[in-house]
Amino acid sequence: MSGTPEGPVHTEPPDIPPARPTLTESELRDYRAAFRASQIAMALVDREGLVVAANDSLGTLLGTDSAALREQAAADLVDLAADRRTWQAYREVLRGRRSRFRCTRRLKHPDGRKLWAEVTVAPVPDTGRVLLSVADISDRRELQARLRHLQMHDPVTRLPNRALFFERLSAALEPYGSDPPHRSYQSYGHGGTGRIGLCYLDLDGFKAVNDTLGHRVGDRLLAAVAGRLTECADSAGYSRGGGHLVARLGGDEFAVLVEDSTGTEQLADLARSVLHALERPFDLGGQRLAVSASIGVVERAAAGTTATGLMQAADTTLYWAKADGRARWTLFDPERNAHRMTRQALSSTLRPAVERGEFALEYQPLVELADGTVRGVEALVRWNHPQFGTLPPNRFVGIAEEDGSIVELGRWVLRTACEQARQWQKDHPRERPLFVSVNVAVRQVWDSDLVADVAGILAETGLAPHLLQLELTESAVMGSAGRPLQALQALSDMGVRIAIDDFGTGYSNLAYLSRLPVSVLKLDGSFVRGFQDEEHASPADELIVEALVQLAHRLGLTVTAECVETAGQAARLRRIGCDTGQGWLYSRAVHPDRIAAMLEGTTPLRV
């Protein structure tokens, strides 16, 4: 549409058959004059949806002259075909099956302005036509938006208030209804992780500030705390996984909601950053104040979660954090106090747990994308704790690295995985032997003779070196120098393959790749999540992965994609040349007997 011409062109509306036998020619002329002069934008539309006549107000609203609107589809002018429900209602009015309908549309003027319009469509009696009227309600919408903002935001901190927080939380949980938490997020057609996280905190000793310095200073402190919380959430970049919302729930209570969270570690990192940010004293107009906070952290699958249940869990966990001494964060434990696991309790029992045989390995297949065959497996350790049940590695590996018990645990994992790989090879001599991939912590390289350990275990088990792959995180490998680099080089010279795990999340210093003895890049699952079907795919993710694959291949490296969960993801990865993949599309981590059954052909690949 073009702008309004210099001189308005009046469009003569067609004759309107009289609605009653007594309508006179004079009355008809009056109706036409009123149509032309009306400040309400209007158009007469035939049963085919084409504009028969339009007044100057409509032309002005749309940035053109009214004559140019004749014979145009009315639905296109005001975007009535944008959604199926509106389009059907409009067609029903045209066909005489509905008396009228009204909708709101956001239109774009040819000069670039955007406006809100209320569109009404109603039949003109005894004519077979309908009258379309368009009212500019932009001012009303702006006023409503301002009033809503005032209603939904805290006047002291200018953060969203409790009402807006619960509205956002309910909206985030609504797509998942009351489905069981084990349901995969792909079944919702949802592009996120299907999880939700919450940090619920209040300030330690805030009442004393109000009591001694007054509420004015207390309000200024709350506003300053709100600013630091917002900085923490923004700087952490949670928009990669989903949205976040920082809110003041009342008093000195705040909440940070993380939609589409990636796991408990993400929420733990956020809680740590908040505590660190609040450690710095606040300078409030010459009044220097120090404050701390206690934080309850909850992270779980969105399916089966309610807003009330999530807040109850957060409130309970906040109580635990205060009871443990304040100025700290505590992660929600679903087994509550009777089965709650603290870091100290785990640390005190981790070392003897290896001797007691409380650990076990499960294996997740690594699949050749070209033909779908299983090439290898990744060994994943589980702790069958006598009190707390089966624990995944993210619950204890960090503690093991801190207290040094990772050396003994890592040695056990390495030996057990090599023994199992060799056993599969013996039991299935006609099948291509599987390689086994084992995660190695940096402290294993520093605090033990990893090269001697690997050489001794390979000799004991009889496993060929090329059937062992050691995975190190990107940050560990990229920063390797001195003894770690020498160890990696010795292992590579031995024939052991070195893989960079979660590639793309750390330093991503590609210059290191040509100088390190690396054989495999394992792409972080965040890249693969953008590989949905063609309609929802992320072109940027595909370009990045394709470039990484080409670079890796030029350097003689193979590429494994983690977190492959759909056939569409696998097809796109295969098309750009990725070598292997692992994820729930093929199998979860399973007992070694299930891997044996796969080799025998008695169990399908997907488990």
Side-chain angles (χ1 to χ4, degrees):
M1 288 178 283
S2 60
T4 304
E6 294 181 359
V9 178
H10 297 286
T11 302
E12 186 71 22
D15 291 338
I16 302 176
R20 61 182 189 276
T22 58
L23 195 64
T24 67
E25 287 297 325
S26 176
E27 290 174 321
L28 286 173
R29 284 194 297 272
D30 290 342
Y31 279 129
R32 294 189 186 103
F35 177 87
R36 287 192 297 267
S38 175
Q39 296 299 307
I40 300 176
M42 293 186 293
L44 198 63
V45 181
D46 64 20
R47 287 189 178 275
E48 300 303 318
L50 300 178
V51 174
V52 176
N55 66 2
D56 291 337
S57 295
L58 182 61
T60 301
L61 184 69
L62 298 179
T64 185
D65 67 86
S66 55
L69 299 177
R70 293 195 64 175
E71 301 299 323
Q72 292 196 39
D76 294 341
L77 299 177
V78 289
D79 201 24
L80 295 181
D83 64 86
R84 186 172 61 181
R85 187 174 181 180
T86 299
W87 173 251
Q88 289 177 344
Y90 170 63
R91 297 298 298 173
E92 288 177 358
V93 175
L94 290 181
R95 295 167 184 167
R97 298 174 183 173
R98 180 173 178 151
S99 59
R100 66 168 56 213
F101 93 98
R102 180 181 290 115
C103 66
T104 302
R105 280 290 179 268
R106 194 172 191 187
L107 306 179
K108 185 176 182 180
H109 194 276
D111 66 6
R113 291 184 295 112
K114 291 185 178 181
L115 57 90
W116 285 98
E118 184 177 77
V119 181
T120 304
V121 183
V124 178
D126 302 323
T127 67
R129 293 167 178 168
V130 301
L131 184 67
L132 180 143
S133 60
V134 185
D136 186 349
I137 60 169
S138 300
D139 291 343
R140 187 203 310 171
R141 292 282 298 213
E142 183 179 354
L143 177 59
Q144 290 174 342
R146 289 178 180 176
L147 292 174
R148 173 175 168 77
H149 187 274
L150 291 174
Q151 180 185 12
M152 293 295 190
H153 285 76
D154 170 49
V156 174
T157 64
R158 299 186 179 182
L159 291 178
N161 61 15
R162 177 180 289 268
L164 182 53
F165 172 81
F166 277 98
E167 181 180 291
R168 176 78 169 265
L169 175 57
S170 298
L173 295 174
E174 184 178 3
Y176 304 95
S178 59
D179 292 343
H182 63 268
R183 181 173 178 180
S184 174
Y185 71 85
Q186 283 87 1
S187 59
Y188 297 99
H190 186 268
T193 64
R195 303 187 67 80
I196 195 161
L198 176 64
C199 285
Y200 181 40
L201 66 144
D202 73 1
L203 305 181
D204 301 323
F206 178 74
K207 185 177 183 298
V209 175
N210 274 341
D211 292 344
T212 58
L213 301 176
H215 287 273
R216 179 175 296 182
V217 174
D219 286 349
R220 294 177 66 183
L221 177 59
L222 291 173
V225 168
R228 292 192 186 179
L229 290 178
T230 302
E231 290 175 4
C232 287
D234 290 342
S235 64
Y238 292 130
S239 57
R240 292 178 303 170
H244 67 268
L245 180 74
V246 182
R248 181 191 178 196
L249 302 188
D252 60 341
E253 296 179 354
F254 295 85
V256 184
L257 176 69
V258 180
E259 300 177 44
D260 289 325
S261 57
T262 58
T264 56
E265 192 58 34
Q266 181 190 24
L267 271 295
D269 287 343
L270 174 59
R272 293 188 195 103
S273 68
V274 168
L275 290 179
H276 180 69
L278 297 181
E279 286 176 355
R280 304 193 311 271
F282 292 86
D283 189 354
L284 305 176
Q287 185 75 47
R288 193 172 177 83
L289 296 176
V291 69
S292 64
S294 299
I295 308 175
V297 178
V298 183
E299 200 282 336
R300 58 177 56 171
T305 296
T306 65
T308 301
L310 188 68
M311 290 305 300
Q312 287 177 341
D315 187 64
T316 299
T317 313
L318 175 59
Y319 171 80
W320 291 343
K322 285 188 170 294
D324 289 342
R326 303 190 176 193
R328 67 188 62 209
W329 65 273
T330 302
L331 180 66
F332 177 74
D333 187 336
E335 299 184 13
R336 303 180 70 84
N337 288 324
H339 301 287
R340 183 166 57 97
M341 190 183 314
T342 64
R343 294 178 64 86
Q344 183 59 41
L346 285 177
S347 180
S348 63
T349 58
L350 201 154
R351 287 182 179 274
V354 178
E355 300 176 2
R356 292 195 298 264
E358 294 178 4
F359 291 93
L361 294 185
E362 292 183 345
Y363 300 87
Q364 187 172 33
L366 294 157
V367 178
E368 184 80 35
L369 288 173
D371 56 15
T373 59
V374 179
R375 290 290 311 280
V377 293
E378 179 179 355
L380 299 170
V381 64
R382 305 286 187 258
W383 186 357
N384 296 318
H385 198 283
Q387 181 181 359
F388 303 116
T390 301
L391 302 178
N394 63 346
R395 296 293 297 272
F396 59 85
V397 167
I399 299 173
E401 290 180 353
E402 290 178 7
D403 66 11
S405 59
I406 190 66
V407 173
E408 183 181 359
L409 176 59
R411 190 179 291 118
W412 176 87
V413 170
L414 182 63
R415 176 177 287 103
T416 304
C418 290
E419 288 175 348
Q420 183 60 70
R422 179 58 177 150
Q423 190 61 49
W424 285 326
Q425 188 178 5
K426 292 178 179 178
D427 294 341
H428 304 87
R430 297 183 179 180
E431 303 293 334
R432 184 177 182 176
L434 300 178
F435 72 84
V436 63
S437 191
V438 178
N439 290 278
V440 176
V442 177
R443 192 157 183 176
Q444 291 178 253
V445 183
W446 282 107
D447 293 0
S448 69
D449 192 342
L450 181 62
V451 177
D453 287 345
V454 170
I457 289 172
L458 291 177
E460 292 172 15
T461 60
L463 186 69
H466 73 276
L467 295 179
L468 174 62
Q469 176 174 290
L470 300 180
E471 296 186 20
L472 289 90
T473 61
E474 179 183 343
S475 58
V477 176
M478 292 304 184
S480 293
R483 180 176 177 181
L485 180 57
Q486 294 172 4
L488 294 180
Q489 187 63 60
L491 290 167
S492 179
D493 293 342
M494 192 188 302
V496 175
R497 301 198 301 177
I498 307 299
I500 302 179
D501 195 16
D502 298 328
F503 186 79
T505 61
Y507 296 102
S508 298
N509 190 336
L510 302 179
Y512 275 96
L513 293 179
S514 62
R515 300 195 294 269
L516 289 172
V518 174
S519 304
V520 182
L521 296 185
K522 295 192 72 176
L523 296 181
D524 183 68
S526 60
F527 290 111
V528 179
R529 293 189 188 98
F531 281 52
Q532 303 298 324
D533 53 48
E534 296 288 344
E535 181 180 354
H536 300 97
S538 169
D541 283 343
E542 181 165 351
L543 287 173
I544 292 172
V545 173
E546 185 174 8
L548 289 175
V549 170
Q550 290 177 358
L551 174 63
H553 286 172
R554 285 181 176 271
L555 294 174
L557 311 179
T558 60
V559 181
T560 297
E562 299 178 299
C563 302
V564 182
E565 299 183 344
T566 69
Q569 292 172 336
R572 295 170 75 84
L573 290 166
R574 186 184 310 114
R575 186 168 65 245
I576 65 176
C578 193
D579 301 289
T580 56
Q582 72 180 106
W584 288 3
L585 173 65
Y586 307 109
S587 174
R588 298 172 184 251
V590 296
H591 190 272
D593 290 345
R594 304 295 291 271
I595 301 297
M598 290 180 189
L599 293 173
E600 295 166 358
T602 59
T603 298
L605 179 59
R606 189 169 185 173
V607 177

